[in-house]
Amino acid sequence: MHEMSVALALVDQVAEAARADGRERALAVHVQIGELAGVVGDALDFAFELAREGTPLEGARLVVETVPARARCRDCAGEFAVGAPPDLTCRGCGGTNVELLSGRELRITAVEWADGPAYAASAGQKG
Amino acid sequence: MCRTHELRLALLARNDGSATELREELAARGTVVVNLLSSPGSGKTALLEAELTRARERGLAVAALTADLATENDATRLARSGVPVKQVLTDGLCHLEASMLRGQLDGWLPDGTRLVFVENVGNLVCPASYDLGERLRVALMSVTEGEDKPLKYPTAFGLANLVVVTKADLAAAAEFDEAAFLLNVRRVNPGVEVLFTSARKGQGVGELLDRAVAVAEGAEPHRPVMADEPVQHTGCTDAHGDEHDDGQGHGHSRDHGHGHGHSHDHTHDRGDGHRHSHGRTNGREHGQETDPVAAPSRPRPNLAVGELS
Ligand SMILES: Nc1nc2c(ncn2[C@@H]2O[C@H](COP(=O)(O)OP(=O)(O)O)[C@@H](O)[C@H]2O)c(=O)[nH]1
Ligand SMILES: [Mg+2]
Ligand SMILES: [Zn+2]
């Protein structure tokens, strides 16, 4: 499963951020996973537990926020939930001239650090 | 109010960055990559062999890479077409990544190659998340796999620039419901073109090549709805959050290769910023003289490469 690759990328990026900010340990990592991102939350969780060993993320929680897939019709301006299984056909007019608004997210949104002020920016205050 | 440090990093930013770079570099060389995705056994190798043979007859400069978990059989088959073929052994990894493809192409891809076909690892889930730097992504499925496959694998079919149905010669026997299938494709990828092919009977052979050539000559591939960049969501914005762009990992090189899929022995480059590749993919060339340098380091099945030329 590619969730291991995703988890390794996640751990790498947070470890880099830790180094850049002079942090020693992360308590939690928040990620957004879109419904259409092709990543399974449970599998990512499992992979994360392995990937975090021996890194500044050891013992950190993974907080997954699932982002629903939504689309907007360019013809009738209607917005709709893409649903599962996905259907990108406009619920209002039946057209397919649509754009995806959300659902492909696969990103880290926040990290909770163990040391220092919870949200000190890299620019200034060090913990 | 969030008591956290906002980051906003795209998780696959590194791969996406490598893919974008590779796409641009190849474009500068006049080369287009075609990424073929399907379940194992859908008929990728069979169709590709036919397309490569057709390309050779037309005098087109094409090459092919085929990825497999462990065997070299596909490269042996593809090399019969007479075009340069290289086997990539992923050693268990379920997908290719852009940095691996780059490593495989470096020093191997003959100058002047217009099209590089990449047969991805047989799997409709994992490879769908990894941009390889292709200009044309093709999702294939055979008529025996069920009309609802596009709904079950929406990222694979939803992100494809072209959909190819294979083994059309078996459609009647499989009672393949073409209308239902097309409707399902339309639900996940409205407007995408669908080709019907049979490598066995020759039906539709050459059409995939035509589409790829068109892209190489400047035609814009179909743009899937799912490929839209989602609008930025910020679950948590506070004034102290760092402004990191999506796609940038603190200014470090995004091109580190990783030996993914082997949690026990991956040695990460944790940010020194130099480019390296310790991907566990092994490459081996076919259809050309073998280069001892390209010989992979792990034990492998016996294969008389010389016979392939
Ligand atoms: N009837 C029929 N069988 C096919 C066709 N294409 C491939 N096959 C068979 O399907 C099996 C898997 O094909 P292969 O090309 O190895 O699939 P891959 O795993 O996607 O590369 C082989 O036994 C092929 O002979 C076709 O067009 N018609
Ligand atoms: Mg194959
Ligand atoms: Zn509408």
Side-chain angles (χ1 to χ4, degrees):
Chain A
M1 291 307 288
H2 67 306
E3 277 80 1
M4 181 50 81
S5 299
V6 174
L8 290 169
L10 187 161
V11 166
D12 255 16
Q13 293 193 17
V14 175
E16 276 184 24
R19 201 178 12 254
D21 287 359
R23 306 285 186 170
E24 268 167 25
R25 206 157 66 80
L27 292 177
V29 182
H30 295 251
V31 296
Q32 284 183 333
I33 300 182
E35 265 184 316
L36 294 174
V39 167
V40 179
D42 283 350
L44 184 62
D45 228 22
F46 177 74
F48 178 72
E49 278 185 30
L50 298 173
R52 69 186 178 179
E53 293 303 311
T55 77
L57 288 83
E58 185 136 16
R61 279 178 306 128
L62 183 66
V63 184
V64 175
E65 178 197 343
T66 304
V67 182
R70 293 193 62 78
R72 176 168 48 216
C73 179
R74 291 196 185 93
D75 291 336
C76 73
E79 259 190 54
F80 58 95
V82 174
D87 187 354
L88 290 165
T89 318
C90 174
R91 305 297 186 273
C93 70
T96 51
N97 182 17
V98 298
E99 74 183 305
L100 196 67
L101 299 175
S102 63
R104 294 268 309 139
E105 293 78 2
L106 192 55
R107 62 166 163 256
I108 301 168
T109 51
V111 179
E112 295 172 33
W113 302 107
D115 47 340
Y119 47 139
S122 55
Q125 330 108 287
K126 191 176 172 312
Chain B
M1 177 80 133
C2 299
R3 289 187 42 78
T4 51
H5 182 161
E6 189 175 345
L7 269 173
R8 278 206 262 151
L9 296 170
L11 268 170
L12 296 180
R14 206 166 271 163
N15 183 70
D16 291 345
S18 308
T20 302
E21 267 175 37
L22 184 58
R23 187 163 25 246
E24 285 165 4
E25 276 179 33
L26 289 174
R29 293 174 65 178
T31 306
V32 157
V33 171
V34 181
N35 184 4
L36 304 174
L37 268 61
S38 86
S39 298
S42 292
K44 291 182 295 302
T45 307
L47 182 63
L48 187 51
E49 184 185 346
E51 299 289 340
L52 296 177
T53 303
R54 189 63 60 93
R56 181 134 197 257
E57 288 163 7
R58 292 195 204 161
L60 287 165
V62 305
L65 258 108
T66 177
D68 196 89
L69 301 174
T71 76
E72 308 210 351
N73 303 336
D74 286 358
T76 311
R77 289 164 62 195
L78 294 177
R80 295 188 297 220
S81 68
V83 313
V85 169
K86 191 175 189 184
Q87 179 76 57
V88 181
L89 296 182
T90 63
D91 206 10
L93 182 56
C94 53
H95 62 273
L96 287 175
E97 298 187 11
S99 57
M100 299 173 187
L101 179 60
R102 166 194 290 276
Q104 297 295 333
L105 295 178
D106 270 353
W108 171 74
L109 188 70
D111 275 338
T113 303
R114 298 302 306 280
L115 299 171
V116 181
F117 291 89
V118 178
E119 176 178 352
N120 215 314
V121 181
N123 173 344
L124 276 176
V125 182
C126 314
S129 292
Y130 292 86
D131 184 354
L132 295 185
E134 71 268 20
R135 289 272 286 137
L136 193 66
R137 180 181 291 201
V138 185
L140 303 92
M141 67 165 259
S142 66
V143 295
T144 59
E145 293 172 51
E147 297 80 7
D148 57 351
K149 198 134 193 182
L151 301 182
K152 290 181 178 162
Y153 299 92
T155 47
F157 287 89
L159 291 169
N161 307 109
L162 178 67
V163 171
V164 173
V165 177
T166 56
K167 310 190 192 181
D169 56 291
L170 301 176
E175 297 184 28
F176 182 68
D177 185 341
E178 186 178 318
F181 170 75
L182 291 174
L183 197 64
N184 289 335
V185 170
R186 186 173 181 265
R187 287 176 62 168
V188 299
N189 195 344
V192 72
E193 185 184 13
V194 180
L195 301 178
F196 288 85
T197 67
S198 164
R200 187 70 51 88
K201 302 283 184 220
Q203 180 191 340
V205 168
E207 292 183 19
L208 172 59
L209 184 62
D210 290 340
R211 300 307 182 273
V213 166
V215 171
E217 287 174 351
E220 268 307 304
H222 160 75
R223 194 170 161 72
V225 172
M226 276 193 207
D228 287 344
E229 272 302 307
V231 177
Q232 292 295 314
H233 282 265
T234 48
C236 150
T237 29
D238 64 62
H240 306 271
D242 269 9
E243 285 291 328
H244 294 305
D245 286 341
D246 272 357
Q248 300 296 329
H250 289 262
H252 289 267
S253 160
R254 290 160 292 155
D255 198 25
H256 307 183
H258 292 273
H260 286 170
H262 299 266
S263 59
H264 53 279
D265 70 356
H266 68 268
T267 41
H268 275 212
D269 163 47
R270 294 194 179 277
D272 56 9
H274 71 270
R275 171 182 298 167
H276 64 169
S277 176
H278 48 146
R280 303 192 25 129
T281 50
N282 301 311
R284 175 172 263 200
E285 300 171 29
H286 291 259
Q288 295 185 311
E289 73 277 9
T290 41
D291 172 1
V293 178
S297 53
R298 73 186 262 275
R300 53 188 40 266
N302 260 337
L303 184 77
V305 178
E307 289 174 15
L308 298 169
S309 311

PDB file of all heavy atoms in Angstrom, chain A residues 73 75-78 90 92-95, ligand 3:
ATOM      1  N   CYS A  73     -21.247  23.404 -10.446  1.00  0.00           N
ATOM      2  CA  CYS A  73     -21.595  23.372 -11.864  1.00  0.00           C
ATOM      3  C   CYS A  73     -21.344  24.742 -12.485  1.00  0.00           C
ATOM      4  O   CYS A  73     -21.764  25.757 -11.948  1.00  0.00           O
ATOM      5  CB  CYS A  73     -23.068  22.984 -12.022  1.00  0.00           C
ATOM      6  SG  CYS A  73     -23.602  22.959 -13.737  1.00  0.00           S
ATOM      7  N   ASP A  75     -22.506  25.588 -15.347  1.00  0.00           N
ATOM      8  CA  ASP A  75     -23.674  25.972 -16.135  1.00  0.00           C
ATOM      9  C   ASP A  75     -24.774  26.578 -15.277  1.00  0.00           C
ATOM     10  O   ASP A  75     -25.325  27.613 -15.607  1.00  0.00           O
ATOM     11  CB  ASP A  75     -24.214  24.764 -16.910  1.00  0.00           C
ATOM     12  CG  ASP A  75     -23.253  24.344 -18.017  1.00  0.00           C
ATOM     13  OD1 ASP A  75     -22.458  25.209 -18.471  1.00  0.00           O
ATOM     14  OD2 ASP A  75     -23.278  23.162 -18.415  1.00  0.00           O
ATOM     15  N   CYS A  76     -25.095  25.905 -14.153  1.00  0.00           N
ATOM     16  CA  CYS A  76     -26.211  26.402 -13.354  1.00  0.00           C
ATOM     17  C   CYS A  76     -25.744  26.940 -12.006  1.00  0.00           C
ATOM     18  O   CYS A  76     -26.556  27.352 -11.189  1.00  0.00           O
ATOM     19  CB  CYS A  76     -27.267  25.310 -13.148  1.00  0.00           C
ATOM     20  SG  CYS A  76     -26.750  24.017 -11.998  1.00  0.00           S
ATOM     21  N   ALA A  77     -24.441  26.933 -11.771  1.00  0.00           N
ATOM     22  CA  ALA A  77     -23.844  27.477 -10.545  1.00  0.00           C
ATOM     23  C   ALA A  77     -24.224  26.703  -9.289  1.00  0.00           C
ATOM     24  O   ALA A  77     -23.914  27.119  -8.184  1.00  0.00           O
ATOM     25  CB  ALA A  77     -24.171  28.963 -10.373  1.00  0.00           C
ATOM     26  N   GLY A  78     -24.881  25.559  -9.473  1.00  0.00           N
ATOM     27  CA  GLY A  78     -25.249  24.747  -8.316  1.00  0.00           C
ATOM     28  C   GLY A  78     -24.030  24.066  -7.713  1.00  0.00           C
ATOM     29  O   GLY A  78     -23.087  23.723  -8.422  1.00  0.00           O
ATOM     30  N   CYS A  90     -23.858  17.116 -12.462  1.00  0.00           N
ATOM     31  CA  CYS A  90     -24.568  18.138 -11.690  1.00  0.00           C
ATOM     32  C   CYS A  90     -25.935  17.632 -11.258  1.00  0.00           C
ATOM     33  O   CYS A  90     -26.708  17.125 -12.069  1.00  0.00           O
ATOM     34  CB  CYS A  90     -24.723  19.416 -12.513  1.00  0.00           C
ATOM     35  SG  CYS A  90     -25.728  20.660 -11.691  1.00  0.00           S
ATOM     36  N   GLY A  92     -28.270  19.492 -10.197  1.00  0.00           N
ATOM     37  CA  GLY A  92     -29.298  20.459 -10.582  1.00  0.00           C
ATOM     38  C   GLY A  92     -29.734  20.300 -12.027  1.00  0.00           C
ATOM     39  O   GLY A  92     -30.910  20.110 -12.314  1.00  0.00           O
ATOM     40  N   CYS A  93     -28.754  20.316 -12.957  1.00  0.00           N
ATOM     41  CA  CYS A  93     -29.113  20.365 -14.374  1.00  0.00           C
ATOM     42  C   CYS A  93     -28.665  19.135 -15.145  1.00  0.00           C
ATOM     43  O   CYS A  93     -28.937  19.021 -16.336  1.00  0.00           O
ATOM     44  CB  CYS A  93     -28.539  21.634 -15.010  1.00  0.00           C
ATOM     45  SG  CYS A  93     -26.742  21.606 -15.169  1.00  0.00           S
ATOM     46  N   GLY A  94     -27.969  18.224 -14.496  1.00  0.00           N
ATOM     47  CA  GLY A  94     -27.532  17.017 -15.193  1.00  0.00           C
ATOM     48  C   GLY A  94     -26.311  17.225 -16.069  1.00  0.00           C
ATOM     49  O   GLY A  94     -25.857  16.300 -16.738  1.00  0.00           O
ATOM     50  N   GLY A  95     -25.760  18.434 -16.044  1.00  0.00           N
ATOM     51  CA  GLY A  95     -24.595  18.725 -16.883  1.00  0.00           C
ATOM     52  C   GLY A  95     -23.310  18.197 -16.280  1.00  0.00           C
ATOM     53  O   GLY A  95     -23.276  17.755 -15.128  1.00  0.00           O
TER      54      GLY A  95
HETATM   55 ZN    ZN C   3     -25.762  22.362 -13.286  1.00  0.00          ZN
END
